[in-house]
Amino acid sequence: MAILVIAEHDGKQLKPGTANTITAATKLGGDVTVLIAGHQCAEAGATAAKVAGVSKVLVADAPIYDGWLAENMAALVLSIAKNYSHLVAPASGFGKNFMPRVAAMLDVQQISDISGVVSADTFVRPTYAGNAMATVQSSDAIKVITVRGTAFDPAGDGGSAAVEALAAAADAGLSKFNGQELTKSARPELTAARIIVSGGRGMGSAENFKILEPLADKLGAAVGASRAAVDSGFVSNDYQVGQTGKIVAPELYVAVGISGAIQHLAGMKDSKVIVAINKDEEAPIFSVASYWIVDDLFKAVPALVSELG
């Protein structure tokens, strides 16, 4: 049995969630090969080779993989798919972009967002926005899987895998990558942060949302938001935590003015410690909170900042 992990990376380092995906892959019980696809990504290949549990690294370095277009990524994976029993990728925007296409072209069912590995053909995955866990079994010859990174510990260093070049597949010519604008912040990236301070509709406005910044600065935290806050225009959608945003599981999650809609809870309820601040004592967020403050957030947040010195 052989497993192929398609890695998300920035050309030099593996992105958060990839090391967790490798951990999930090792639980399947076979040799793990990591595929690094991109343009000028040799350094990322060398990084992947050092991850514990990796047997081999394949590096497909070509301009057509800049931007990881679904058509070209799927063609690359399909060119080597027959050599593997499992094709695995993070359940991030990266994996969600091309893995369904891979599954469709192989005529198999994708097993999405797994949070547990029972055996090589049986997996646990959340359903109903995380309110129930389904155990699913696949009889497909090749399993196409995306992994919820927060459900697995990241694989550590200590590997010494061989690195091999992989020839690029033909350019599908169906789409073109024109460029991207990256959000720059001095704060940690949401999916990698140990501490997150998130705001919801209760913040009231984009101007009020800035109240969270001193608290985040004191804690060295990333700043997140509920979908309601994003839809209200308080912050951009790259802040969004939840079922349709980013799935996070930090050591500390501070939810401010967030009622706790089921879609938001699905994205953060695996956090180790949850602190909720809301003036509504019946807010659903309190059902998952470790600690809670029933108070006006415009009083509670400055008081917390003051106490933190």
Side-chain angles (χ1 to χ4, degrees):
M1 186 166 60
I3 301 107
L4 180 70
V5 173
I6 304 96
E8 184 175 7
H9 60 89
D10 62 8
K12 297 180 180 179
Q13 302 296 322
L14 302 181
K15 286 289 191 74
T18 298
N20 311 65
T21 300
I22 291 171
T23 295
T26 61
K27 294 180 180 294
L28 295 168
D31 291 332
V32 176
T33 297
V34 172
L35 172 60
I36 301 287
H39 183 42
Q40 299 178 339
C41 58
E43 192 171 339
T47 300
K50 297 176 183 176
V51 178
V54 175
S55 302
K56 183 194 295 185
V57 176
L58 299 176
V59 178
D61 194 332
I64 64 171
Y65 301 126
D66 196 8
W68 303 298
L69 299 173
E71 296 86 351
N72 288 336
M73 286 295 295
L76 177 64
V77 174
L78 289 166
S79 71
I80 57 174
K82 64 182 180 181
N83 300 323
Y84 300 95
S85 57
H86 299 73
L87 307 176
V88 187
S92 60
F94 171 81
K96 291 175 181 178
N97 182 39
F98 63 88
M99 289 296 273
R101 190 179 186 91
V102 170
M105 296 182 79
L106 288 172
D107 195 24
V108 301
Q109 297 185 68
Q110 178 171 300
I111 307 165
S112 303
D113 209 23
I114 69 165
S115 59
V117 175
V118 178
S119 66
D121 65 355
T122 306
F123 311 92
V124 177
R125 61 177 305 275
T127 187
Y128 298 114
N131 279 294
M133 304 303 289
T135 300
V136 297
Q137 187 173 39
S138 171
S139 59
D140 290 325
I142 299 177
K143 279 97 175 148
V144 178
I145 300 167
T146 60
V147 174
R148 175 172 289 207
T150 57
F152 299 89
D153 293 330
D157 292 333
S160 57
V163 179
E164 299 179 8
L166 178 65
D171 186 351
L174 297 174
S175 58
K176 180 182 178 182
F177 178 68
N178 290 322
Q180 62 185 348
E181 293 183 13
L182 300 177
T183 301
K184 295 183 179 179
S185 174
R187 295 194 177 94
E189 202 277 326
L190 263 177
T191 55
R194 292 177 53 252
I195 302 172
I196 296 173
V197 176
S198 279
R201 182 185 282 118
M203 300 306 301
S205 69
E207 187 64 29
N208 288 343
F209 209 91
K210 295 177 182 177
I211 293 171
L212 300 182
E213 293 179 0
L215 179 58
D217 290 340
K218 291 284 187 182
L219 296 172
V223 175
S226 68
R227 178 171 179 172
V230 171
D231 287 349
S232 298
F234 300 167
V235 290
S236 60
N237 60 9
D238 54 304
Y239 284 71
Q240 186 176 326
V241 173
Q243 185 181 16
T244 54
K246 295 177 180 177
I247 308 296
V248 300
E251 294 178 17
L252 172 62
Y253 189 90
V254 183
V256 183
I258 294 175
S259 63
I262 187 172
Q263 292 86 355
H264 186 76
L265 299 185
M268 48 64 72
K269 67 181 181 179
D270 289 333
S271 304
K272 306 301 183 292
V273 176
I274 300 171
V275 175
I277 302 172
N278 200 299
K279 64 182 179 182
D280 178 9
E281 62 183 17
E282 301 297 326
I285 191 71
F286 291 136
S287 68
V288 298
S290 311
Y291 304 94
W292 54 93
I293 300 173
V294 180
D295 199 356
D296 183 340
L297 68 88
F298 298 106
K299 296 178 181 178
V301 172
L304 272 177
V305 174
S306 178
E307 287 294 325
L308 289 168

